Amino acid sequence: MGSQKKRPVVLTAADREELVRMTTTGVHPASAIRRARVLLALDTSAGEIGSQEVIAARLGVSGETLRLVAKRFAETGGDVHATIARKKRDLPPVPSPVTGEVEARLIAMACSAPPDGYARWSLRLLEKHVALVEDIPDLDHSTIGRILKKRNCVLT
């Protein structure tokens, strides 16, 4: 009962009704339904609730899940939608170093004649030559292969 004393979950009648409707009707993500059920089980406005172990066993979740949902409810200021929804990403995704210009230069290199002593380009050979070119970022051979495959360029 540690988190229930630290972070009590008190739902309004409208929030409670909406959570009940969400858990019983419609199509919703399973994780959102699970968190909604946890909020309903932790709601102290409906009366006395059982211990964490009993609630966790009844809902089929861990005690840690109960603690995290109660913590998120407190952090969002009692916003039910923010609690049950997926968490927004803090950092934006890392942009790809491969731009259209880089692709074009890489394809041009792959279509050119291989260096002396080689019969054809290989992905690792292209990787070495890309590393020597100053204005193309260093690319892994698997990235080079993905770019060439996407553009239907076959190394022969």
Side-chain angles (χ1 to χ4, degrees):
M1 283 179 80
S3 70
Q4 295 167 11
K5 291 180 183 176
K6 274 197 239 178
R7 298 180 194 94
V9 175
V10 181
L11 298 174
T12 64
D15 286 342
R16 186 170 186 73
E17 181 181 318
E18 187 174 344
L19 289 175
V20 168
R21 190 172 340 123
M22 181 184 174
T23 58
T24 57
T25 61
V27 177
H28 304 284
S31 58
I33 292 173
R34 183 175 52 247
R35 285 189 289 265
R37 285 184 177 144
V38 168
L39 280 177
L40 287 170
L42 293 176
D43 183 21
T44 57
S45 65
E48 192 63 32
I49 58 175
S51 68
Q52 267 194 320
E53 293 81 22
V54 172
I55 294 172
R58 184 168 36 113
L59 296 177
V61 297
S62 67
E64 183 69 6
T65 301
L66 295 177
R67 187 187 70 77
L68 290 175
V69 170
K71 178 182 174 187
R72 181 124 183 246
F73 183 77
E75 288 173 352
T76 60
D79 185 8
V80 174
H81 295 288
T83 303
I84 63 173
R86 287 185 62 179
K87 190 174 180 181
K88 296 293 180 206
R89 189 177 182 145
D90 290 337
L91 298 174
V94 177
S96 175
V98 180
T99 60
E101 182 183 340
V102 170
E103 274 189 40
R105 302 242 354 234
L106 183 63
I107 291 170
M109 187 183 290
C111 291
S112 68
D116 292 336
Y118 293 92
R120 63 182 179 85
W121 285 105
S122 68
L123 293 179
R124 294 189 190 270
L125 184 60
L126 275 171
E127 178 184 13
K128 289 177 186 175
H129 280 270
V130 165
L132 297 176
V133 178
E134 304 245 340
D135 54 340
I136 298 179
D138 289 346
L139 301 174
D140 186 55
H141 66 276
S142 60
T143 305
I144 293 170
R146 250 192 330 272
I147 292 168
L148 296 176
K149 182 177 181 181
K150 185 169 80 173
R151 299 292 175 213
N152 289 330
C153 294
V154 180
L155 295 178
T156 54

